Amino acid sequence: MTAAEAFTLFLDEGGSNRVARKGLHLLLRRQSGLLAGSIHALRRDAPASKLKHALDFDRSAALRAGALAGLLLSKIGRDKEDYMSEAAFKLGQLLAVADIVHVGYCADVRKGEVPPTLLGNSVLTMAQSSPRKALALLARRWSPYWAWAKRVDMEKARREQNWAILRGAAHAARAAELSRDLHGQVPERTDDAFRAELLLGYVAGLPKRADDNQDDEKGENI
C-alpha cells in the first residue's frame, strides 16, 4: 500500500472503503499463511515447555497481521461485535476446536506423537473457498476423536496433569454448541471479508469458560 492510501485509511477520507478492501485482499494473499501457520504450530506444541515448531514463524509479524485484519474489517463496516457471532468466525473457531481435540487425542492414544497437520488446519484452506465442503469433510473425520473424548478418564488426566488431554476433551464437548450455531448459516460462496473473519476465528479459538477445568490453567496458555 502507498503512503497516500495509508493516510486515506488513517484519516477515514473518501475512498477509504476501497483502500481497505484492497489492503485486506493483499493481507490475505501475503500473510494468511503466516497467521494460520503460527497458531497451528503453537497448538501442535501445546502445552510443551519449548516452542519447537512455533519458533519457525515470525510470531510478532503474525500478531501485527491479525491486528491489521481486524482494523481493515472495521474500515469496511465489519465490526467485531457483529462478525464474532456470525458463520465465518464461528467456523474458524470450530476448526480451532478440532485442532485442540486432535492434540488431546494424540497425547492419549498416540502417546504424544502429533502429526504435521492437525484436523482443523487440514481443512482450513478448503474452508476459505468452499466452507460447506470443508465442514462436511470435517464431519466425516470427526467420529474417532469424538468417541475418544467421550471415554477419556478426566480424573486420571488431572492426577497426571496432562493438560492436552484435559483441554481436548473439554473442547470436544463445546464443539456441539458451535455446530448448532452454524447449522444452516454456512454460505456456498465467500469473499475476502469472510476469509479474514474465518482466519481470525481460527486464531482466536474459544474463550475459556468459568466452568472449564479450574485446575488446568497451565494448559490454557494459548
Side-chain angles (χ1 to χ4, degrees):
M1 296 179 68
T2 66
E5 289 173 328
F7 273 106
T8 296
L9 279 178
F10 181 72
L11 299 173
D12 204 20
E13 295 179 338
S16 63
N17 185 286
R18 175 188 58 80
V19 172
R21 290 184 183 278
K22 174 187 174 182
L24 191 61
H25 182 76
L26 288 172
L27 179 70
L28 289 169
R29 192 173 69 186
R30 296 178 181 177
Q31 302 232 304
S32 59
L34 169 66
L35 195 52
S38 57
I39 194 65
H40 176 253
L42 284 168
R43 288 185 182 130
R44 283 189 67 204
D45 291 335
S49 58
K50 295 183 179 179
L51 303 180
K52 177 180 177 182
H53 299 98
L55 290 174
D56 292 335
F57 292 87
D58 186 340
R59 298 182 304 285
S60 295
L63 185 63
R64 291 194 296 272
L68 183 56
L71 183 150
L72 293 171
L73 283 169
S74 178
K75 289 293 185 179
I76 64 173
R78 299 290 298 164
D79 295 327
K80 67 180 188 298
E81 291 80 9
D82 297 323
Y83 67 70
M84 287 179 68
S85 62
E86 296 181 6
F89 191 87
K90 285 184 176 291
L91 179 57
Q93 287 182 305
L94 183 61
L95 300 186
V97 165
D99 279 354
I100 293 169
V101 174
H102 195 178
V103 170
Y105 172 91
C106 292
D108 190 10
V109 177
R110 296 168 56 96
K111 308 306 178 187
E113 292 292 326
V114 181
T117 304
L118 297 174
L119 178 61
N121 188 264
S122 70
V123 299
L124 178 61
T125 299
M126 180 186 291
Q128 293 174 339
S129 56
S130 303
R132 290 187 183 179
K133 290 182 179 179
L135 190 57
L137 180 58
L138 180 66
R140 290 197 295 272
R141 295 178 177 177
W142 179 249
S143 295
Y145 305 103
W146 176 237
W148 163 79
K150 290 191 291 185
R151 65 173 185 267
V152 167
D153 186 339
M154 299 290 279
E155 290 304 319
K156 179 182 177 182
R158 273 195 197 89
R159 288 195 304 271
E160 296 176 353
Q161 297 187 347
N162 198 319
W163 313 117
I165 293 176
L166 288 169
R167 293 188 74 218
H171 276 68
R174 298 177 67 183
E177 303 171 19
L178 287 169
S179 298
R180 285 193 293 270
D181 291 342
L182 287 168
H183 182 69
Q185 301 300 313
V186 178
E188 289 187 12
R189 298 181 180 180
T190 65
D191 56 14
D192 284 340
F194 182 97
R195 286 186 280 273
E197 291 161 15
L198 171 77
L199 195 57
L200 291 178
Y202 178 70
V203 170
L206 289 176
K208 186 178 180 182
R209 295 192 308 194
D211 60 344
D212 280 344
N213 303 298
Q214 297 296 317
D215 56 346
D216 70 337
E217 291 181 1
K218 185 178 178 182
E220 291 287 346
N221 58 0
I222 294 179

